[in-house]
């Protein structure tokens, strides 16, 4: 028999299926070591057949199995096929997603522990003076099977060794699992469902639709709905995947899952040690655990017989992979749901507008939860006009209303969160006197300031504009480039409230494995009064004592040069505001802005998602942005400018032919330097276009061009990338 093997080299030149002579009981999905040229490398068996097209004497046999158990399921092999076709990636790269990275190249293996058991209970032959040996035997008699290291430690290894040699103790090896978050407190409470929760559960169980969108305001109790559905799925003998945006930020959710489902839960995420990941992964693969929870990549969990996929905070940008392989978690979820006949529930207080369109179209089931649990009110949002503060001569990052509210909150023994609206490379120009923001005349999208060249640039059409010396609306000269630094925000806060305990959470201070949960736990257990942070604190946390959220520079993200910036802002503000007043205490939010009359801010301050959605979807329709068109970018990244320009030319001319042949299908097409010309020492160029929907055949041609020129100079296609830097 012949094994068809994909070798673990993610390179388009060796992106083929190779034939080997089947040996060693290899199965479809087995990891094997095979000869490859002069090398021995790892591969995966993806098929078995009777005969090869090559003569038998040309084929080499499989050298050995990497492990007895079959690593991949047949579903994974199909999923590989889907990803190769959809994302135009080498097969090996798709397969790599299905295995913890440390498992490849044999960097980690099962942890084995040696156990001692008593094999002879007649101790009469042992001398009375051999006290260590006698005590060891009596200990074993009383306690039963004991790990050898324990026994050695207690009674000395020479005594134990002698007992093994004399046949009193027999030794066996057993696999033990390294469990992450072993210290996790199990927290569980039983609740009576609200009417909306019960309705959500019932509706989900009844619907025939594969995907359900659960649109529930923050604090409406979506988690309980997921937990209930997970429980039902497990009870019916099926398995579950639950994806969350950032697992290290959700210790509370992990506690709940552990307490409900015990060892049926496996946690997969990049912060685990290699050994923990390996063991959690195999527990899922072997069927020992039935629920996989993790961030984006958990969607590849090796579960069979999937019944349910939960995607929490479904609007979160982290669900789209921005590096190779560029996949969408929801697309992979759909594949797996179809394959297994499973259902998907995805929830959010602010669904992505593209998905909400599908829900209102009837493509997805739509369930709404509009009330907070225990009838607690949505926090009141106060808009603070920062232009007025500038006029009053207040230079601090804090408006007078936020200062007063903070004082009040601390006086009452409550907690506050200060949120800084910050992201990536974007820098836009805002007039501090009138709130004017510089925008592209053609695209109506805010311009980005490039300090190296002192120009303003549109990331969607490449148009350059001269930097402004004064505001064209009001003539003011207080033009600001970006928000206030975290450092300054904290320092000012310490000056204002010298007695308050302030902690900070952002990328600079939270690099270590459990640092996130430590900071969050400190705040949750009220060992700090004010938490200052960026995007990371916006998500899903439940702090019952937090009654105030201050949002500095609420408008910063509004004007990021991104077609989704309004949507992102609405989502972010709603999420952050949702951290306030979640328990029985009433919450407040102070939203500081230079554009207080901005429609998106006004709608978010009223929690009016429906109106926001309607406005946004209409805008997208008339301006031809997703979901009504696709933004496609072919990126060229090179070590030198010459190579980059050379490759860009080739890519551009071939793409242009396609564009010329299908002009009517395009809304925009051009080549240009990327907005950020160099990242990580690579020169960056791009062909940027907007293509009407339903043109997958055209899209595929661009993928083929990218594959053709991809090599030393990196060439790849992005579809609706989250950022256009
Ligand atoms: P969401 O995810 O919708 O923002 P959560 O699921 O975090 O909301 O729920 C908010 C809070 O309400 C949590 O503290 C949760 O434990 C609590 N909760 C949820 N359902 C109920 C219920 N039926 N009765 C009492 N408390 C509940
Ligand atoms: Zn433009």
């Amino acid at each position: 028999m012949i094994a068809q093997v994909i070798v673990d080299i993610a390179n388009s030149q060796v992106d083929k299926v190779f034939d080997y002579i089947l040996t060693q009981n290899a199965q479809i999905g087995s990891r094997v070591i095979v000869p490859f040229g002069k090398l021995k490398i790892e591969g995966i068996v993806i098929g078995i057949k009777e005969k090869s097209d090559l003569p038998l004497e040309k084929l080499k046999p499989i050298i050995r199995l990497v492990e007895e158990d079959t690593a991949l399921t047949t579903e994974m092999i199909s999923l590989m096929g889907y990803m190769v076709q959809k994302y135009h990636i080498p097969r090996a790269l798709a397969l790599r997603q299905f295995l913890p990275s440390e498992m490849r190249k044999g960097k980690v293996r099962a942890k084995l522990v040696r156990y001692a058991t008593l094999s002879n209970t007649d101790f009469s032959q042992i001398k009375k003076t051999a006290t260590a040996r006698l005590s060891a035997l009596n200990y074993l008699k009383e306690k039963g099977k004991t790990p050898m290291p324990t026994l050695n430690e207690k009674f000395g290894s020479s005594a134990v060794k002698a007992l093994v040699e004399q046949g009193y103790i027999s030794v066996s090896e057993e696999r033990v699992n390294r469990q992450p978050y072993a210290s996790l407190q199990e927290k569980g409470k039983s609740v009576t469902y609200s009417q909306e929760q019960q309705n959500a559960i019932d509706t989900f169980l009844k619907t025939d639709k594969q995907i359900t969108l659960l649109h529930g305001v923050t604090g409406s109790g979506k988690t309980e709905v997921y937990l209930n559905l997970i429980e039902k799925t497990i009870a019916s003998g099926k398995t579950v995947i639950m994806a969350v945006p950032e697992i290290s930020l959700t210790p509370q959710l992990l506690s709940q899952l552990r307490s409900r489902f015990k060892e049926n839960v496996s946690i997969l995420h990049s912060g685990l040690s290699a050994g923990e990941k390996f063991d959690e992964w195999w527990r899922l693969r072997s069927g020992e655990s039935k629920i996989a929870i993790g961030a984006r990549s958990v969607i590849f969990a090796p579960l069979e017989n999937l019944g349910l996929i939960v995607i929490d905070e479904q609007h979160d940008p982290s669900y789209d992979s921005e590096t190779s392989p560029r996949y969408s978690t929801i697309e992979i979820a759909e594949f797996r749901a179809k394959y297994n006949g499973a259902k998907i529930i995805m929830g959010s207080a602010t669904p992505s507008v593209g998905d909400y369109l599908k829900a209102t179209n009837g493509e997805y089931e739509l369930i709404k939860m509009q009330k907070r649990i225990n009838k607690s009110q949505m926090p009141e949002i106060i808009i603070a006009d920062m232009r007025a503060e500038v006029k009053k001569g207040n230079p601090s990052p804090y408006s007078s209303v936020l200062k007063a509210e903070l004082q009040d909150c601390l006086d009452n023994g409550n907690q506050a969160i200060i949120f800084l609206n910050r992201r990536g490379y974007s820098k836009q120009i805002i007039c501090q006197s009138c709130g004017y923001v510089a925008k592209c005349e053609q695209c109506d999208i805010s311009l980005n300031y490039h300090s190296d060249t002192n120009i303003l640039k549109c990331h969607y059409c490449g148009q350059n504009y001269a930097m402004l010396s004064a505001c064209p609306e009001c003539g003011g000269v207080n033009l600001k480039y970006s928000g206030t630094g975290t450092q300054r925000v904290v320092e000012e806060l310490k000056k204002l409230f010298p007695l308050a305990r302030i902690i900070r959470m952002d990328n600079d201070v939270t690099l270590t494995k459990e640092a996130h949960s430590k900071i969050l736990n400190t705040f949750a257990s009220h060992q700090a009064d004010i938490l200052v942070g960026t995007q990371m604190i916006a998500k899903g946390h439940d702090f019952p004592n937090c009654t105030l959220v201050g949002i500095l520079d609420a408008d910063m993200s509004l004007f990021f040069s991104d077609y989704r910036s309004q949507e992102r802002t609405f989502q972010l503000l709603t999420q952050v505001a949702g951290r306030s007043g979640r328990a029985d205490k009433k919450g407040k939010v102070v939203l500081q802005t230079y554009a207080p009359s901005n429609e998106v801010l006004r709608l978010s301050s009223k929690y009016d998602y429906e109106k926001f959605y309607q406005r946004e979807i209409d805008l997208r329709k008339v301006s031809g942005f997703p979901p009504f068109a696709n933004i496609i970018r072919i990126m060229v990244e090179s070590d030198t400018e010459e190579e980059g320009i050379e490759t860009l030319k080739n890519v551009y001319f071939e793409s242009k032919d396609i564009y010329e042949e299908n002009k009517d299908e395009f809304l925009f097409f051009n080549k240009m330097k990327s907005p950020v010309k160099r990242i990580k020492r690579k020169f960056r160029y791009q062909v940027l276009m907007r293509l009407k929907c339903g043109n997958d055949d055209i899209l595929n041609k661009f993928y083929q061009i990218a594959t053709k020129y991809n090599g030393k100079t990196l060439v790849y296609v992005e579809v609706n990338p989250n950022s256009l830097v």
Side-chain angles (χ1 to χ4, degrees), residues 309-329:
I309 300 174
V310 180
I311 301 177
D312 191 22
E313 311 282 6
Q314 67 88 226
H315 62 275
D316 198 275
S318 72
Y319 285 125
D320 295 315
S321 166
E322 296 278 280
T323 52
S324 183
R326 296 178 176 74
Y327 65 87
S328 139
T329 305

Side-chain angles (χ1 to χ4, degrees), residues 31-33 42-43 64-68 103 106:
R31 292 202 297 156
V32 291
I33 304 291
E42 232 175 85
R64 65 178 171 87
L65 286 173
V66 175
E67 65 251 312
E68 281 296 312
M103 232 169 103

Side-chain angles (χ1 to χ4, degrees), residues 4 114 169:
Q4 300 173 283
R114 281 151 42 93
I169 292 178

Side-chain angles (χ1 to χ4, degrees), residues 85-88 317 319-323 325-328 331 460 563-564 568 626-627 629-635 687-696 698-703 706 716-724:
Q85 191 218 353
K86 174 123 190 137
Y87 305 124
H88 299 258
Y319 285 125
D320 295 315
S321 166
E322 296 278 280
T323 52
R326 296 178 176 74
Y327 65 87
S328 139
E331 282 168 2
Y460 283 86
Y563 75 93
R564 255 178 302 211
R568 294 276 184 245
N630 285 311
I631 296 167
I632 294 159
R633 170 159 92 154
I634 312 181
M635 281 298 295
V687 178
L688 189 63
M689 47 205 144
R690 267 187 283 145
L691 178 63
K692 290 182 188 165
C693 290
N695 283 303
D696 283 1
I698 298 181
L699 176 58
N700 280 340
K701 289 185 184 152
F702 293 121
Y703 273 114
Y716 57 88
V717 176
E718 293 174 310
V719 181
N720 300 329
N722 274 323
S723 109
L724 272 188

Side-chain angles (χ1 to χ4, degrees), residues 209 211 213 352-366 368 610 613-614 617 621 627-628:
K209 299 207 166 116
I211 302 183
L213 180 65
S352 83
V353 297
D355 286 314
Y356 204 71
L357 178 67
K358 289 183 183 170
T360 48
N361 275 348
E363 195 174 324
Y364 301 163
E365 181 75 40
L366 176 62
K368 294 187 190 185
E610 306 283 339
Y613 163 77
Q614 207 48 59
I617 204 84
K621 197 163 191 173
F628 303 101

